[in-house]
Structures are given as structure tokens and as C-alpha cells.
Amino acid sequence: MIVVLYEDPYLAVVDKPAGLMAHASAMARGEDDFLDERLREQFGKPIHLIHRLDRATSGCLLVAFDREVAAALGQVFMSREVDKHYLAICRGWPEESFVIDHDLDGGPGKPVKKPAITQVVRLATAEIETPSAQHPTSRYALLRCSPQTGRFRQIRRHLKHVFHHLIGDSSHGDGRHNRTFRMRGVHRMLLHAWQLSFLHPVSGARITVTAPLDDEFRKALDVLGMNAVE
């Protein structure tokens, strides 16, 4: 059963589990379990995904119950009247607040680069007694990442660009640091769609929804001695 964080007659915000693909695609590679199919069965009616989350990412995902509302929500997203905040754990200690402004392509088969901007706030830091390269310890940070654009794997690729790789990212991360967490029982990618805020296409009210961290993300925070963000 997928956890529903918000629901009304027009739309819902659900809490996508890490490891579940949002929908069938060329990248599915033989998968037969998808979020959109689970939601159609769970709600007992058609659903339309308004945006996407990577398979390894958990958290807030918005769906509409009919095409008209889906189209209206699409316009809301295009107008930038949407605030998306993600929690991420990265290697190293970045600045307290910064903006990553680095063009990105659209992923496989889409080589044209487009503007991509992510605002980042450092929420906490930690240092553990595990050697890293030439250093006797390893440093990590909890970040709030707020993408202002919606490019393919934007946060993951932006963090790689600034050399603060996302922990658990097997494609764009740092294998040494990923192993450090796996050895401590944390196997998921540490990116969580924490909060979604948008204007309701029918009522015009601002809807703000927060998705709680799952047990494995909380375990990662425990490993680092950090407090969970609610």
C-alpha cells in the first residue's frame, strides 16, 4: 500500500518508496512493478503522474485524477509556482548556502544542454572515524536542495559537478563513500523529496505537503549523529 500524504477529489500527493520505478519506460529493463500501476489499483480510477522521481529517490509525488486537472497542474509546474525541497546527504562539507548554476543535457539520447539551477542549504555536518583517501576521517553533510528547473537527475548531477557527491548514488556518486554507508547497513540512495508546495488548480489554495523520512534514511542520520528533519 502506497502512503497517501494528501488527497482530495482532484489530486493526491503520495509518498513514493525508494527503489520503486514511477512508470514503465525504456529504462525499466524487465521490471514489472511500477508506482502508477499500483496507484491505479489502490485508488480504483485513472491517475496521471504530474512529475517524476528517480527509482532510487523517495518522497512526495503529485498525481491527478483526470486529464483536465493534470493539464492544469502541468501549467502550474511550468509557471514555477511550485516549491520542491529535497533532503540529501553528500560527501564533504560544502558552503552553508549556495546556488549551482550548471547547464545539463536531457539524459540518454537528448544531448542538448539547457539551463539548470539548484539552490542548496547545508543543514548539518558530521565527521566519522573512517579514513577517506589521504584523510584520517570522512566528512558528510545533510543538505536541503531546491531545484529551480527540472532536468534529468538534476540534483544528483549537480552535486557531482561541485564534488559533493550524493551518498548511495551508483551512477553519479563516489564508490568509496557509498561503501562506507553500505558497511553500516545503509543501501539506498540518500535523496528524498521532502516537501512539495503548489497552487491547487481548482481552489487556488496553496497546498504544502511533507513526506517523512523512511527508516533507512533515518539510519543514515543515526550513523552520522544527526537529528531527523520533520
Side-chain angles (χ1 to χ4, degrees):
M1 180 73 71
I2 302 298
V3 174
V4 179
L5 302 168
Y6 172 87
E7 182 182 1
D8 66 29
Y10 307 100
L11 56 87
V13 180
V14 301
D15 188 359
K16 187 189 92 64
L20 178 63
M21 294 197 74
H23 61 98
S25 71
M27 301 178 69
R29 298 177 183 175
E31 293 286 335
D32 58 4
D33 186 16
F34 304 102
L35 177 68
D36 59 350
E37 293 178 0
R38 286 200 199 181
L39 291 176
R40 289 187 190 102
E41 182 176 352
Q42 183 170 324
F43 287 118
K45 54 186 172 183
I47 64 100
H48 305 271
L49 301 179
I50 304 305
H51 59 118
R52 305 289 188 268
L53 293 178
D54 294 340
R55 174 178 181 167
T57 304
S58 58
C60 293
L61 193 144
L62 177 61
V63 302
F65 295 137
D66 63 53
R67 292 185 183 278
E68 290 75 17
V69 172
L73 283 170
Q75 291 299 314
V76 170
F77 268 65
M78 290 293 289
S79 71
R80 304 285 176 87
E81 291 292 337
V82 177
D83 293 322
K84 294 179 286 185
H85 302 296
Y86 293 71
L87 296 179
I89 294 179
C90 74
R91 64 175 290 270
W93 290 358
E95 302 171 56
E96 290 187 359
S97 179
F98 59 102
V99 175
I100 305 171
D101 186 348
H102 175 67
D103 293 1
L104 295 172
D105 62 34
K110 300 179 180 179
V112 177
K113 291 189 175 183
K114 296 182 179 181
I117 300 172
T118 305
Q119 296 179 343
V120 184
V121 174
R122 193 186 75 200
L123 301 178
T125 59
E127 188 168 10
I128 62 175
E129 299 297 324
T130 300
S132 173
Q134 72 271 29
H135 305 291
T137 60
S138 296
R139 290 181 169 185
Y140 301 98
L142 175 65
L143 309 176
R144 185 181 71 223
C145 300
S146 305
Q148 305 304 298
T149 49
R151 307 302 173 217
F152 177 73
R153 296 181 178 177
Q154 177 171 316
I155 294 173
R156 299 164 62 181
R157 297 163 75 194
H158 268 176
L159 290 178
K160 177 183 179 180
H161 176 69
V162 296
F163 302 102
H164 289 290
H165 303 78
L166 180 69
I167 301 303
D169 189 339
S170 59
S171 298
H172 310 287
D174 185 311
R176 295 168 299 169
H177 292 279
N178 292 347
R179 284 192 295 274
T180 294
F181 279 79
R182 286 200 302 270
M183 292 290 288
R184 289 163 170 78
V186 178
H187 299 274
R188 63 158 292 181
M189 187 175 75
L190 296 175
L191 182 63
H192 177 67
W194 174 59
Q195 190 173 84
L196 179 65
S197 182
F198 59 95
L199 295 178
H200 196 289
V202 177
S203 70
R206 177 156 290 276
I207 307 296
T208 301
V209 183
T210 301
L213 297 174
D214 68 12
D215 290 343
E216 198 161 347
F217 204 117
R218 288 175 179 271
K219 185 174 185 177
L221 294 178
D222 288 342
V223 166
L224 298 174
M226 294 178 178
N227 294 323
V229 178
E230 303 297 343

